[in-house]
Amino acid sequence: MSAGHQIQESAGSRAGEKVKNQCATRPSQFLLALAIALSLLFSRNAAQACSVPVFRYALEKWAADEYQAIVFHRGPLTTAQQALMQPLDGEGLSGQPTANISLQTVDLAQNHDPALLAQWQKLGSDTLPALLLKYPQKSRLTAQLFAGPLTAAAVQQVLDSPARREIVRRIAQGDSVVWVFLETGDAARDEAAAKVATARLGYLTTVLKLPTIEAQDIASGLVSVPKDGLKLTFSLLRMNRKDAAESVFARMLLHSEPDLLELQEPMLFPVFGRGRALYALAGKGINHETLDEAATFLTGRCSCEVKELNPGLDLLLTADWAGLIKAQSDGSRATLLQQQATAAAAALAPETVTIIGGPAPAPGPTQLPLLPAAAGALVALLFAGYLWWRKE
Amino acid sequence: MIINLKLLGWVGLIGLLLVGPAKADDWPMWRADANRSASSPEELPEQLHLQWTRQYSPRVQVWDDPLNHDLMSYDRVFEPVVLGERVLIGFNDTDKVVALDLRSGKELWAFYTDGPVRFAPVAWQEKVYFTSDDGHLYCVGAADGQLKWKLRGGPSAQKVLGNQRVISAWPARGGPVLRDGRVYFAASIWPFMGTFIYAVDAETGKVAWVNDGTGAQFIKQPHNAPSFAGVAPQGALVATKDILLVPGGRSIPAAFNRHTGEFLHYNLAVSGKGNGGSFVAANETEYFVHTRLRGVRNYELKSGKAGKLTNSEPVLDGTAFYTAGTNKLGALVRSINGTNTLWEVKADASGDLIKAGQRLYAAGSNSLTAIALTANPLQARVAWTQPLPGGAERLLAANGVLLAVSLDGRIRAFGAEKVKPATLRDEPKLSQPDDAAVAKAKSILAAADTSEGYALWLGADDGALLQSVIANSKLNVLAVEPDAARVDVLRRRLDAAGLYGKRATAHIGDAASFMAPPYVANLIVVGESSVPRLRVAEALRAAFKSLRPFGGVMLLPVSGGAQAEFKQLVEAAKLERAKVTTAEGHLLVTREGALPDAADWTHQYGDVGNTVKSDDARVKAPLGLLWFGGSSNMEVLPRHGHGPPEQVIGGRLIIQGMSSFSARDVYTGRMLWKTEFTDLGTFGIYFDKSYTNTPLSTAYNQRHIPGANGRGANYVATEDAVYVVVGSACQMLDAKTGKLRQTIQLPPRTGDGSGPEWGYIGLLDNVLLAGDGFANYTQKFGSVVKSNTIEDFSASAGLAAFDRHSGKLLWRVPARYSFLHNGIVAGNGRIYCLDKLPGSAEDKLKRRGSPLPSDYRVAALDAATGKPLWEQSKDIFGTWLSYSKQHDVLLLAGAKASDRLKDEVGEGMTAYRGAEGKILWQDLKRKYTGPCILHNELILTSANSYQASSGAFKLLDGTPHLIQNPLTGKLEPWRVSRAYGCNSIVASENLLTFRSGAAGFYDLLSQSGTGNLGGFRSSCTANLVVANGVLNAPDYTRTCTCSYQNQTSLALVHMPEMELWAYTQFGLDATDGDRIERVGINFGAPGDRRAADGTMWLDYPSVGGDSPTVPVSVTGKGMNYFRRHALQASGEGLPWVASSGIRDCETITITPEIFRPSITKPPRSKDDDEDEGKFGSGKSTTAKDQTVTPAAALTDSTPKTKKTAPRAPHPPAPYTVRLHFADPEAMAVGERVFSVALQGQPVLANFDVVAVAGAPHRGVVREFKGVIIGKDLKISFTRAPGAKAGPVLSGVELLAEKPLVVK
């Protein structure tokens, strides 16, 4: 399937149900035991961590850093120009929530701040008003994400794109992590990498187990979902780096680490929380070991009050996160999702891949730690055997 | 008509006599009464007029930073009381209590103590009671100030330097309160020194009861971490009908039964941040404790349970509660009933609020308001408001007079009469010493070559010379003179001159009896009259003991043959490192260099070898105070930034601040110098933008960042210079003055456009090592962005070496990948470097699918030339190198622990021979918490909070270090464990120091277990550094607002007589049911302790901690336990066994079997950080940290309970049984008589402890051999008919007579 034609529902939650349903059968007892044993291998959690997994804690507690929009102009802005800027200034696009962005206007006739003037000159165009988009200050990234005349299309391009809308929709739907797969355009390499990712993530959804959320953490307001309110769900979102509709978003991802722009490799960005990209896996870096590590981290217990101490870059997304969280917790999810789906359907969407739990793939070059895994499996086998024996 | 007038006059006079005195009420103690209600029946005149003003100097509070100022405000202003016609005032600077005439303000008398008087006196029945930092409760006559009696609270006359004054080691800072004819006070603010709480008969001074057993209580501290750190009295005591409240300094108060002294509650852990302080007041159901500024919170009196109401310091009048407040209209006074406001009136009571008769009086910032109360509790009105320029902070009403005390030192008296007010002020009366005295003083100062610090003057003579020395130097002089009259004259003269307490004090005594603090004196001058006394070796030693190392001088005015005589005396007295020289008319005894067996602490981990150990062997447990107070934490980095620890060398503590370096005297804490820098470049490394400088708020904090755990220290200290990295250069400061001596610039590298950066810093002999540019992985490899970039500063791109004196560049070598700062060590003329990438950079390579480097290395370089000596590139892992110069062994390891870099690893060890790089041994799978300590021939691993260490390993062969369990006789791995601790364990020759709730230690000599120095905490930086003969504990807790009892700098030295309590880790690897070979059961003891003879004494009942169980059961009707401080006991056996025990026991059964302890579980993270704010910041490790924390890894190495099959009974074996007795009460012979049987066999008949010991509190030991024990030992007690008191026992010691295990 080529990029940008169809949206598929991710179905990790169904994968969870599937495992549950299979529990009635004897072989499933074995699988369950195996899953428990293997998941224990991944849950190396400290006693003092809270019980909320990282991806959820990030959604609940980590406000997204604000991107910086600067509009350069000379003299007063017209009413129409001011209206153009409104979506950048806390109002959001028409009918949509606000984005994590702040706006600064610079009147070149009055403001002679050398730093700002230097930024303006760097744009390399005399057309005014001009829009400049920069990463959040906290990120310390200096790349220009967008630079051009202030137009309605530019504002739209900066704030919105199908892939970003889809990310929001999936997180709103309950996806734990949306794995954004950035294609190179080289089908063979893309497919190979996507296959590795899809298979491994599918496998991981069967063996990873979310921590049980403790009542105390719910009472403390660390999380707004009930004890069993979380499901482990991964989905893959494929996107072509040359897709014009995603140009700002692709640039945002490709500039998030200094070497990415130069790499002509498929890339994978685990996106969680309020649209935070953990980091990039690229080329052969998309492998079992790195996927396991990223997935284990994001689904593990969090003790992450201090967002800044954790890796990741907040993406520029248009979303009412507080509303989404509330909708998830108070049961108004259906309505919300409907709205999101309607909005998403209105735009061209990137290709998505459904991650469903499946059997463990053939051992790759980097597997789970062999000895502990074997030990876990042995324990599980013994346990399953015990269950079988009792059943008999 | 005339007759009628006379009659009227008589009637009036009689009326005055009857009515006047009946209405006249004293204000006999702080806040009027024993409840500290601030409410008096005294009806003041309708209108008040200023009568007189007494102007003194403003008070300087005892503590010295904003938070302590707020929490402990007890000596912020004068706190007078009034008895009859006298105003009685304590002075915290001139060490006296003064009586003023209430009507005129004129001074009537002054009584001097031996230390600051910081609390309001108590007046009762023509007597005045007050406490002093000299440790005493005094009783003097109110009329003449003559001493009636005095009582020392502490166990000896030992002095310390406390808050820059020489005071008792047990200062009486539990301010006195009087109720029902008893005065209550307390001595000692440091639980580890023992704390002493007294009820004293006010008439006779006889002790009614003393509780000195609560200092070492094993209780939960902030963070819910259990520690030996109990009650720490500091604040004015409160006596309710049945309960005595003892304020706890910065913490909440403790409660005792007022009639018996029995401990009731001290809920330190649950008080949380922002609650606690010296202000305590109570009614009969609740008490009120300081929160912030003038706020209070309510607590249930009986239970200590915290309420939720916060108000300003209240006036308590029965059930009525009046308090100051504000609303949008401004300041007001309100009456409150629970949560209901009964009335509010507009009045400024921001200074103080009291009730006198039917009026409230409110002192504001510039006004005085009288509020009339009415019969209707729902109404009140402002009677009048008058200006009060400058405001007042304390009001008191007595005998028709309202006294207003203000911050500027004024005491103003308001009365009924409209008079021309008098202003009284004492001007300093400086006396000019004669020329001869001045000349002599100058010659003394020249001979001693000192002009700052402390001088001890033994024999003040007429004081003229002493005053001349003061006038011609900056010395603080402590005069000790046996002649009381001379002392009195000198005190009054110095006081009149404005010098007393500020530059000099005088005390009755001599060198031996005064017990001055060790090492305090830069100069000791022996007065001519006292020279003969020093001919006694004991006196000479006592004087010399107080001389400061590194050049302190004692000067004796002798000449001719007397010089030779004293030279011989000094030699005979074997004074440590004393050098005798002579000058015209003087013999000088100089204490040269460092203390014997002492050593330095330089570098981040103690030395350039990263041994994490000080070689100081002088410091050992037990420890006692040397000094406390002094420079606050305001000159120190925020604690959660994990900045470098202090470095200690040459008698100086070198300490880094936000933008400064300072040096303090190791032996007094005195600030020697401070050098400010424009920018040390440490923002983002040792502190960051999360630092908030709001000391009075619970938001005052800095998030946890690895700080120097990652970057390493940015400075290194030597005896003559301090080398500080600033940007691309090293600034060389003069160690004596702090002034810049030289700048050593790191030159740019060829082709490096980014400019030089000085990364690592270290010093091997005269070779100054420089990290040649930071590794900057972010630039090199890119990174997912985050604000914390300490990883970038954790390694250097190369290494350069300079001559430390000339600054000449000697050599520079590039790293292949990066030289990890924690992996650069040196010794024996060689530099060792760990050249590799950290885990985070490797992760990045993995995420790109790039192969990891295969040529990491450990490289050895010649220190002089930088030439490679050898390198190893096989199995290179880890993040840490340390080097044992002693054994020429290089250890490659990790240093994973809390609050360190995420890149750290905690697995694997390889030992190389330092000379040639040969692998001595290797264990790549060994798991542990770091940093590892190289302790002579051992590698000691560390322990995170609520964990046991993985143990110790032999440096030369890597095998586990086993020690004999003194209980079972079996070998088991050595381990140490601790409660909450945000720093790493560091070592000295005899001690491990760390945080375990409070300040913690492990005594390597006795192997008693983990103990505490209760009453303060160590920092998140490992700041408990043993060096220069002292356990240095500078206050590194900046940004901490937890309610630990004290927050200040201090230093400790070995004091063998002090208590030492611990929980032992012996048995962590034992098998349940193993037979005990030797044990002591210490009844009522605060903890465990191992005796010098090897017996491990376990507390019973067990107080907790990770210590094993030996089953004991006790029966007896009304049996109860007692505990005194060990310093109160003497006689046979061990005083710390004799000082506690069990009373009225009938049988004691001991099963000599061991049951393994379990490691104390940590409180939940939320509770753990309860005092850190809403969500806490105590553990802000990252999510990733939590997935790979060594806690999980260490689980494998911590013991698990083994399910063992029931074992066969142990065969009967003969034991020697020792019974330890001491009588805890003042019993007479014949009052406590009992018999004892072992295994049913009588062994003691009609035993009378006091009769045998000769006195109460004296130990008696009785030994019985050949007692056959099968499963249990049963001890039976029988009270003798007619005995007044039941049996008593302090301890039982069991010693198997034959070895029970094959060793």
Side-chain angles (χ1 to χ4, degrees), chain B residues 363-380:
Chain B
S365 56
N366 274 300
S367 63
L368 181 64
T369 304
I371 300 163
L373 304 173
T374 66
N376 183 347
L378 299 175
Q379 287 180 358

Side-chain angles (χ1 to χ4, degrees), chain B residues 796-826:
Chain B
S796 288
L799 209 54
F802 297 86
D803 180 295
R804 86 169 178 100
H805 296 296
S806 68
K808 182 187 166 195
L809 178 65
L810 302 174
W811 50 263
R812 67 201 305 182
V813 294
R816 193 174 289 163
Y817 295 97
S818 62
F819 292 141
L820 305 188
H821 287 175
N822 288 335
I824 302 173
V825 295

Side-chain angles (χ1 to χ4, degrees), chain A residues 46 139 214 216 257 280 282 303, chain B residues 784-785 847-848 1164 1181-1182 1186:
Chain A
S139 74
E214 294 168 14
Q216 199 166 352
E257 296 182 53
S303 176
Chain B
V784 175
V785 177
R847 292 199 290 268
R848 298 295 178 267
R1164 280 190 50 81
T1181 47
T1182 66
Q1186 296 298 337

Side-chain angles (χ1 to χ4, degrees), chain B residues 60-65 68-69 72 74-75 92-95 114-119 132-134 159-173 188-190 233-234 250 454 476 501-503 505 517 520 625-633 667-671 1035 1045-1051:
Chain B
V60 177
Q61 279 183 256
V62 59
W63 299 106
D64 54 1
D65 67 81
N68 274 337
H69 278 176
M72 292 179 285
Y74 50 78
D75 63 346
N92 69 354
D93 50 358
T94 48
D95 307 356
D114 277 335
V117 179
R118 301 192 184 277
F119 292 90
S132 164
D133 272 4
D134 69 13
K159 306 294 189 301
V160 298
L161 196 65
N163 304 104
Q164 293 113 20
R165 298 293 308 277
V166 170
I167 60 173
S168 168
W170 299 271
R173 290 193 188 166
S188 179
I189 66 170
W190 295 100
Q234 197 168 186
R250 301 169 74 258
Y454 293 86
N476 282 289
K502 298 179 182 71
R503 294 292 307 281
T505 54
V520 70
L625 265 182
L626 177 67
W627 61 263
F628 68 88
S631 302
S632 74
N633 58 42
Y667 304 103
T668 62
R670 186 171 63 93
M671 182 79 91
D1035 183 3
Q1045 300 92 326
N1046 294 293
Q1047 183 179 34
T1048 189
S1049 299
L1050 65 158

